Amino acid sequence: MGSAEETHGWALQMSTLSVLATVMVFAMFPGGVLSDMRDTQDLEAQQLAQASTHPHHRLKRGWIWKQLFVPEEDPTPRVIGQLKSDSDRGESSIRYILSGEGAGDVFEIDEYSGEIRTLKKLDREEKAFYVLQAQAINRRSNEPEEPQSEFIIKVQDINDNVPQFQNEPYVSSIPEMCPPGTTVAQVTATDADDPMFGNNAKLIYSILQGEPYFSVEPKTGIVVTSWPNMDREAREQYLVVVQVKDMLGLSGGYSSSTTVTVSLTDVNDNGPMFRHHVYSFAVPENAAVDTTVGRIMAEDGDIGINARMTYSLEDDLEESSTFMIKTDPGTQEGVILLAKPLDYETKRRFVMAAEAVNDHVDTRFLSLEEFKDRTSVKIFVEDVDEPPVFLSPVYEWKVPENSAVGTVVGTVSARDTDTVNNPIRYSTDKRSATTEAFRIDPNNGTVTVAKLLDRETANWHNVTILAKEKSRNHLSSSVVVFIRVLDINDNVPRLARDYRPYICEGTQAGEIIQLLSAVDPDDPVEGHHFYFSMVPEKHINPNFTIRDNQDNTASIVARRSTFTRKDRTQYLLPVVVMDSGSPALSSTSTLTVGVCSCQPAGHCPTGGVEALALSMGVSLQTLLGFVVCLVTLTADVLS
């Protein structure tokens, strides 16, 4: 190899060039790697400084290596560098030792020559560099010939990774009719190769599918629209395939692709439109109010809120108020409903104008007039064979209770409202409780009295009358007739109860001994008014008199003060009661006035029984004993 001075100078020169090369390469890495290199250089400087003070070593020592880089994915073991001490004379007196990351597993060193060899292929994406330590040991003295030195082996990148898209799947939505250049989505891909080494991780994007509607920015992956006025109603969804290539798209690189699903959201760029100029419907005349007559539909290419519409019927057209229209929120149809009853015989045909208007308009796309449409609606009323209709929904008549059989009470009338106008036959419903009291003429509906009426027995009669058509269907209807029986004065007034008046011994003249009232089954309109009097006689009754109180009551008044049981035990007093009817009726009742010995409070202790006993010629005690025996005997017989 030449003289020792030449060898040493060459070694120093190579060491300087290798360190510079290492620093230049690692300056591309983060601060940690660069700091490791600086630390390594500092360590070597320290070692050289220490060596300069050691008496057994020369001042300049250096390590010599051929290569500090190894390509990744190389499966062939190969020498990647050599460590050599200045003291090595080729006599195998120096033993080289390698330690640190990957020593013995990934790298090995020839202990005699100092050559560093790879043991297996490396993957930069797993580990980008290795920090190793080298030693040179004198085999004889087992002392270090060189201080331990640290160095770095960098794994050199090759393009062995395919770029991968992140955050898949890509789904985006944009409004229809959006201008070109509208951002749709941004796709992002990464490449595990070294972005600092060549173009291995330099990515570029392009469109594989989706042109001419979409394009992609090559460096950022931002997908934008490139076609104006994309219409959702023509096409709602697009699949945009984006490709990414490494090595800036040059040949030999890797690529992958992803799909962006783009949906167009709706805007209100369509107005409602009726498919037909005229809609015709038929409805029977007996249809109930709120019956659905038919449905009309104005089609709108939009969806959701942009397709909502309100229907209306023109109020200024003839008879439009007979019908109304509502929007079905589920189908957006206009539902025509009957608002008033129909009559075929009155009106058979209706013609109306219907209008549909969008609830939400957007004048960016259409004018206001384009957000509505009109059509005509014809409705035909169908004739229905209807039952007869009474001229009055209810009848109420009056008849005096003394009316003779055959007296006319009233007349009902019904007619067939259909065009044919069938004749009507009348009858009474047999289920009516009072049908026997009245009779109806089947041809003209005249109701007459069938038997004598008594208001005091029944003052109201409810009669159900049927009207039936003389036709094939025999349709019928019914009406209720309320008949009130009017009162006449055909009942005499009577005392309200069986009075048993008595007078106490010692009663003074002018005292009231009994208050009388009367009843009458009749019911005069102005109310009852009774008159009380005594039976007219030639001579005035010397014992009692009747005083009419003018309030439908009367008082029996004593006319003298000398009533005793010894003189007489009872008196008969006829009382006349007269009503105010026309003609007036009266009745006479004879009262028995008993004389009794009253207690200090003025009450007859036996309620008139004492007077009865005296009139029979027995004592009160004997009479009471007889009554008790009679009651006991009756009880024994019944048991």
Side-chain angles (χ1 to χ4, degrees):
M1 294 181 60
S3 63
E5 288 77 5
E6 293 175 348
T7 303
H8 181 66
W10 179 81
L12 288 175
Q13 184 179 2
M14 292 299 296
S15 175
T16 303
L17 293 174
S18 300
V19 169
L20 289 174
T22 304
V23 171
M24 290 176 64
V25 172
F26 281 89
M28 301 170 62
F29 282 84
V33 177
L34 182 59
S35 65
D36 289 342
M37 284 299 304
R38 291 175 177 172
D39 292 344
T40 302
Q41 293 175 1
D42 293 342
L43 179 61
E44 290 179 352
Q46 293 174 6
Q47 290 173 348
L48 290 175
Q50 293 174 1
S52 66
T53 61
H54 201 281
H56 299 291
H57 299 282
R58 288 177 293 183
L59 293 175
K60 294 184 179 181
R61 298 279 177 96
W63 290 90
I64 302 173
W65 53 84
K66 294 181 179 178
Q67 190 172 347
L68 293 173
F69 296 92
V70 56
E72 66 172 330
E73 303 299 339
D74 186 357
T76 304
R78 64 174 61 197
V79 176
I80 61 172
Q82 184 180 21
L83 301 178
K84 192 171 181 66
S85 173
D86 293 344
S87 303
D88 191 346
R89 305 301 181 191
E91 302 171 351
S92 300
S93 61
I94 303 298
R95 179 163 60 92
Y96 294 97
I97 300 174
L98 188 67
S99 62
E101 294 178 336
D105 179 23
V106 180
F107 307 101
E108 66 176 1
I109 190 169
D110 189 318
E111 66 178 37
Y112 295 100
S113 66
E115 291 182 335
I116 301 174
R117 181 184 303 274
T118 60
L119 296 177
K120 60 181 181 181
K121 68 177 181 178
L122 303 178
D123 186 359
R124 188 201 68 83
E125 286 69 47
E126 289 185 4
K127 192 168 178 62
F129 62 90
Y130 296 83
V131 180
L132 298 164
Q133 293 82 34
Q135 287 182 293
I137 305 297
N138 190 298
R139 290 182 182 275
R140 295 185 184 92
S141 64
N142 206 28
E143 292 291 331
E145 286 291 335
E146 302 289 349
Q148 179 174 303
S149 178
E150 186 176 85
F151 63 96
I152 296 174
I153 298 177
K154 185 174 184 299
V155 182
Q156 196 172 36
D157 183 54
I158 66 171
N159 191 19
D160 61 340
N161 286 279
V162 178
Q164 300 291 331
F165 281 97
Q166 307 297 311
N167 304 318
E168 292 181 302
Y170 293 98
V171 179
S172 179
S173 61
I174 57 174
E176 62 173 331
M177 299 297 177
C178 61
T182 300
T183 299
V184 177
Q186 182 175 18
V187 298
T188 304
T190 59
D191 194 315
D193 292 322
D194 190 355
M196 307 299 294
F197 185 79
N199 295 324
N200 293 344
K202 298 295 189 300
L203 305 180
I204 191 168
Y205 300 91
S206 62
I207 291 284
L208 289 183
Q209 176 185 313
E211 295 179 329
Y213 304 101
F214 302 92
S215 60
V216 64
E217 207 287 320
K219 293 183 179 180
T220 62
I222 296 177
V223 180
V224 298
T225 60
S226 56
W227 189 267
N229 301 328
M230 286 190 289
D231 189 3
R232 184 200 66 82
E233 288 73 40
R235 183 176 178 181
E236 188 172 358
Q237 192 177 83
Y238 296 82
L239 298 180
V240 181
V241 179
V242 180
Q243 184 186 62
V244 64
K245 285 186 177 182
D246 59 13
M247 297 188 68
L248 292 176
L250 300 175
S251 61
Y254 292 103
S255 67
S256 61
S257 62
T258 188
T259 300
V260 181
T261 302
V262 183
S263 299
L264 298 184
T265 58
D266 187 59
V267 299
N268 197 3
D269 58 342
N270 293 276
M273 181 176 296
F274 286 103
R275 182 176 296 179
H276 305 289
H277 294 294
V278 178
Y279 290 83
S280 297
F281 304 102
V283 58
E285 64 173 324
N286 62 348
V289 172
D290 290 333
T291 296
T292 298
V293 178
R295 291 172 175 254
I296 61 176
M297 179 68 181
E299 296 180 351
D300 191 319
D302 299 316
I303 59 175
I305 190 174
N306 295 323
R308 293 180 187 173
M309 64 190 76
T310 299
Y311 294 88
S312 62
L313 296 175
E314 289 293 342
D315 291 336
D316 57 345
L317 294 183
E318 183 183 9
E319 297 292 345
S320 62
S321 60
T322 305
F323 303 91
M324 61 181 177
I325 189 168
K326 295 182 179 179
T327 302
D328 187 327
T331 64
Q332 291 301 304
E333 293 176 300
V335 184
I336 301 175
L337 304 172
L338 181 62
K340 293 181 179 179
L342 299 172
D343 185 13
Y344 173 83
E345 289 70 31
T346 303
K347 189 173 181 60
R348 306 179 182 183
R349 181 174 177 266
F350 295 84
V351 179
M352 295 163 287
E355 185 176 67
V357 180
N358 272 144
D359 292 347
H360 302 274
V361 300
D362 193 337
T363 54
R364 293 178 303 169
F365 306 104
L366 299 173
S367 66
L368 287 175
E369 290 299 319
E370 293 177 289
F371 286 105
K372 58 185 176 181
D373 195 23
R374 291 166 65 91
T375 188
S376 295
V377 177
K378 294 182 180 180
I379 300 176
F380 298 92
V381 182
E382 296 177 334
D383 187 28
V384 175
D385 190 8
E386 299 171 294
V389 176
F390 282 93
L391 299 184
S392 176
V394 65
Y395 291 87
E396 184 174 337
W397 299 329
K398 299 176 182 178
V399 58
E401 62 176 322
N402 63 345
S403 298
V405 173
T407 300
V408 174
V409 181
T411 300
V412 298
S413 180
R415 65 182 182 89
D416 182 7
T417 58
D418 296 318
T419 305
V420 294
N421 193 16
N422 292 310
I424 306 298
R425 186 174 181 83
Y426 301 94
S427 63
T428 55
D429 191 340
K430 302 302 181 184
R431 293 172 294 182
S432 297
T434 58
T435 54
E436 295 181 356
F438 302 94
R439 182 180 297 108
I440 187 169
D441 188 310
N443 298 314
N444 59 24
T446 300
V447 177
T448 58
V449 176
K451 66 177 184 178
L452 294 178
L453 304 175
D454 184 12
R455 189 204 66 82
E456 287 71 40
T457 302
N459 59 348
W460 280 96
H461 295 271
N462 300 337
V463 182
T464 301
I465 296 179
L466 304 177
K468 182 180 294 186
E469 293 180 3
K470 295 181 181 179
S471 63
R472 181 180 62 185
N473 295 330
H474 298 294
L475 297 178
S476 65
S477 59
S478 63
V479 71
V480 177
V481 177
F482 298 98
I483 302 175
R484 180 183 180 186
V485 181
L486 300 178
D487 182 56
I488 63 170
N489 195 22
D490 59 347
N491 290 277
V492 297
R494 300 184 183 279
L495 292 178
R497 59 186 178 87
D498 185 16
Y499 291 101
R500 296 185 179 274
Y502 64 90
I503 186 170
C504 298
E505 292 180 321
T507 297
Q508 298 299 313
E511 289 188 20
I512 299 174
I513 63 173
Q514 181 68 58
L515 185 66
L516 304 177
S517 62
V519 294
D520 190 332
D522 293 324
D523 186 19
V525 176
E526 66 280 1
H528 285 292
H529 189 80
F530 300 115
Y531 303 95
F532 298 86
S533 64
M534 300 183 64
V535 176
E537 294 182 352
K538 294 181 180 181
H539 303 286
I540 298 176
N541 189 318
N543 302 308
F544 306 99
T545 186
I546 301 296
R547 180 192 300 164
D548 195 324
N549 298 323
Q550 300 298 316
D551 60 357
N552 291 338
T553 64
S555 302
I556 301 176
V557 180
R559 298 194 66 181
R560 60 187 180 88
S561 305
T562 57
F563 292 96
T564 63
R565 288 178 297 166
K566 293 180 180 180
D567 295 338
R568 194 169 179 178
T569 59
Q570 61 184 14
Y571 297 87
L572 298 180
L573 177 64
V575 178
V576 177
V577 182
M578 180 180 295
D579 60 23
S580 58
S582 178
L585 299 180
S586 64
S587 66
T588 301
S589 300
T590 300
L591 300 181
T592 301
V593 181
V595 181
C596 70
S597 175
C598 297
Q599 294 180 348
H603 297 290
C604 187
T606 57
V609 175
E610 181 181 10
L612 176 62
L614 291 174
S615 65
M616 296 175 60
V618 296
S619 66
L620 177 60
Q621 292 77 7
T622 302
L623 181 60
L624 291 177
F626 175 76
V627 172
V628 170
C629 293
L630 181 61
V631 171
T632 303
L633 179 62
T634 303
D636 292 340
V637 171
L638 293 176
S639 62

